[in-house]
Amino acid sequence: GAGVSQSPSNKVTEKGKDVELRCDPISGHTALYWYRQSLGQGLEFLIYFQGNSAPDKSGLPSDRFSAERTGGSVSTLTIQRTQQEDSAVYLCASSPGLAIDTQYFGPGTRLTVL
Amino acid sequence: TQLLKQSPQFLSIQEGENLTVYCNSSSVFSSLQWYRQEPGEGPVLLVTVVTGGEVKKLKRLTFQFGDARKDSSLHITAAQPGDTGLYLCAGARAGGTSYGKLTFGQGTILTVHP
């Protein structure tokens, strides 16, 4: 069966441009998570969705970051006016529900801001 | 604030040696997970421990959860080159808007030389 997919796999952009990162979770998974990972480091929680709602947005680094999820499936993470410090790998994960269900991760989108 | 501290950050050993990675926190977690991540891929769950004092074994890997549910360790016996990767611990808390949210350690990069 298909796992979590993310697109694009790599994105190079210029400082000040907006970018959209997409996540397709495993079919039927109600919970979806976004994380950010700097080179060789642990993951920084950004936001999670239960269905289409996002109860916890506390991890978003600034108001330039936003995310939405429609139809309880695909999610988009948008970064406006990108800065060099936004360069990182953005990982998406999904799980059947909340609690301690296993989170299945996608391969990530490597974002480079020049 | 580093809620989960992993040590060591880097580990380079010869094939056949044993090693232990530690994950420590001043906070209590309802569960703790260990992940392994290879370059260009998302983290893959190895194990989830939920009970204080719990020990789980997965072939040559042994995982322990501290009695107070604040720390954990991963022990690998007779390491092999295929064990090379980034090992991440992640803690989960139950309840409130943090439900399902994972807090990751900064990771341990393990290299096993043939």
Side-chain angles (χ1 to χ4, degrees), chain B residues 29-114:
Chain B
F29 291 100
S30 57
S31 68
L32 200 136
Q33 301 181 341
W34 284 92
Y35 290 81
R36 178 167 169 263
Q37 185 178 19
E38 297 196 41
E41 300 181 8
V44 175
L45 181 68
L46 297 174
V47 78
T48 300
V49 285
V50 298
T51 306
E54 182 176 3
V55 177
K56 279 192 175 179
K57 291 191 175 183
L58 185 67
K59 296 183 180 179
R60 295 177 293 102
L61 278 61
T62 302
F63 304 86
Q64 283 191 295
F65 200 14
D67 290 341
R69 290 187 292 143
K70 292 182 179 181
D71 51 76
S72 181
S73 65
L74 157 61
H75 182 79
I76 301 179
T77 304
Q80 299 177 0
D83 295 328
T84 294
L86 174 65
Y87 289 82
L88 296 156
C89 65
R93 290 191 179 87
T97 58
S98 297
Y99 208 56
K101 169 183 170 182
L102 289 177
T103 301
F104 279 82
Q106 77 270 39
T108 295
I109 298 175
L110 171 64
T111 304
V112 182
H113 301 280

Side-chain angles (χ1 to χ4, degrees), chain A residues 33 35 37 40-45 48 55-56 58-59 91 98-108 110, chain B residues 9 30-31 33 35 37 40-43 45 48 50 86 88 92 97-102 104-107 109:
Chain A
Y33 308 82
Y35 297 89
Q37 184 176 33
Q41 297 291 305
L43 279 66
E44 173 191 10
F45 169 81
Y48 85 88
D56 186 357
S58 63
L91 289 158
L98 295 179
I100 55 172
D101 281 341
T102 299
Q103 294 189 19
Y104 297 86
F105 283 83
R110 180 174 296 278
Chain B
Q9 191 172 354
S30 57
S31 68
Q33 301 181 341
Y35 290 81
Q37 185 178 19
E41 300 181 8
L45 181 68
T48 300
V50 298
L86 174 65
L88 296 156
T97 58
S98 297
Y99 208 56
K101 169 183 170 182
L102 289 177
F104 279 82
Q106 77 270 39
I109 298 175

